[in-house]
């Protein structure tokens, strides 16, 4: 329900310019500055959408963003469906509560839908993965000047051992990518859908 969603902008669209300023080689922070403004004011963006070679000019009306929360429900065949729209701080504990609630309703397995889940932190992604993982290497951090630091699953944070499938797409980024990768690499979940965005690699 964001201003971009209301005018049909979605994952895969390329912003060519913002208010007439070309985005080629533009730092992300500067793009954010150009997009932000007073609620009710307008900003014009030029979009490239495949397969159309011609850019489209679209006006966005700025709003105060209300980030969506967590949704969950029981699907047929007792499959628990959990969709976190973001992985901001505290979301893992909400997912844990959803898992417990669905298990009480008789869930025999879970779908964790991380499609278009691009906002969140690496820490929250690890916390989400740990809800399904009893042990194993979830991820590691290493830089040219930084020694390798590993993040292992904590058995005390495990919430469920039921089967889980993770749904992902090109809009799956950051903490959500880490969660999906941790579950896949530990052979704890199948990951289905599309390649993820790639900013957590």
């Amino acid at each position: 329900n964001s201003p971009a969603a209301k005018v049909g902008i979605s994952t895969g669209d390329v912003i060519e310019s913002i208010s007439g300023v070309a985005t080629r080689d533009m730092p992300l922070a500067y793009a954010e500055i150009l997009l932000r403004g007073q609620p009710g004011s307008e900003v014009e963006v030029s979009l490239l959408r495949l397969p159309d070679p011609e850019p489209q000019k679209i006006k966005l009306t700025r709003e105060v963003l209300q980030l969506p929360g967590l949704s969950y429900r029981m699907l047929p065949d007792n499959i628990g469906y959990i969709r976190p729209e973001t992985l901001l701080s505290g979301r893992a504990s909400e997912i844990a509560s959803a898992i417990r609630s669905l298990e009480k309703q008789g869930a025999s397995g879970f779908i964790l839908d991380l499609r278009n889940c691009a906002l969140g932190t690496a820490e929250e992604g690890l916390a989400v993965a740990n809800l399904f993982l009893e042990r194993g290497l979830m991820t590691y951090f290493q830089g040219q000047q930084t020694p390798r630091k590993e993040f292992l699953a904590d058995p005390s944070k495990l919430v469920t051992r039921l089967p889980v499938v993770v749904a992902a797409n090109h809009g799956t980024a950051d903490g959500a990518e880490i969660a999906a990768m941790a579950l896949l690499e530990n052979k704890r979940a199948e990951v289905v859908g599309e390649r993820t965005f790639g900013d957590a690699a």
Side-chain angles (χ1 to χ4, degrees):
N1 201 36
S2 67
K6 288 176 181 176
V7 296
I9 297 175
S10 64
T11 301
D13 292 341
V14 176
I15 300 177
E16 183 189 49
S17 67
I18 304 169
S19 298
V21 181
T23 58
R24 183 182 296 274
D25 301 323
M26 179 186 288
L28 181 59
Y30 185 55
E32 289 184 7
I33 290 170
L34 292 176
L35 289 170
R36 291 181 187 272
Q38 290 295 318
S41 63
E42 290 187 339
V43 59
E44 186 178 81
V45 297
S46 179
L47 291 181
L48 290 174
R49 288 175 161 161
L50 294 176
D52 190 351
E54 294 298 319
Q56 303 175 22
K57 291 187 176 180
I58 297 176
K59 286 188 177 180
L60 300 171
T61 301
R62 297 180 174 104
E63 298 176 11
V64 177
L65 293 179
Q66 302 295 328
L67 296 176
L70 173 76
S71 61
Y72 66 94
R73 64 184 185 274
M74 190 71 82
L75 299 178
D77 300 320
N78 293 326
I79 301 300
Y81 174 83
I82 303 172
R83 183 179 178 92
E85 299 284 352
T86 67
L87 288 186
L88 297 175
S89 180
R91 189 50 47 87
S93 63
E94 294 177 14
I95 293 173
S97 297
I99 291 170
R100 294 186 185 101
S101 174
L102 290 166
E103 283 193 345
K104 287 179 181 177
Q105 297 174 47
S108 59
F110 294 99
I111 295 173
L112 180 62
D113 191 346
L114 298 179
R115 291 175 299 173
N116 298 316
C117 185
L119 186 62
T121 65
E123 293 79 10
E124 206 65 16
L126 290 171
V128 169
N130 207 157
L131 301 176
F132 300 91
L133 278 173
E134 187 169 14
R135 61 178 59 87
L137 174 66
M138 295 191 292
T139 193
Y140 65 90
F141 176 80
Q142 185 173 357
Q144 292 180 343
Q145 306 295 326
T146 309
R148 177 172 167 139
K149 180 181 179 181
E150 296 186 343
F151 297 87
L152 303 175
D154 180 349
S156 69
K157 295 179 180 176
L158 175 73
V159 173
T160 185
R161 292 185 174 87
L162 291 177
V164 59
V165 170
V166 176
N169 67 2
H170 190 65
T172 305
D174 209 345
E177 278 185 301
I178 291 174
M181 176 274 302
L183 295 173
L184 178 67
E185 291 299 313
N186 282 281
K187 296 179 173 56
R188 178 63 180 88
E190 294 290 332
V191 177
V192 298
E194 304 169 351
R195 289 183 66 88
T196 59
F197 184 72
D199 69 346

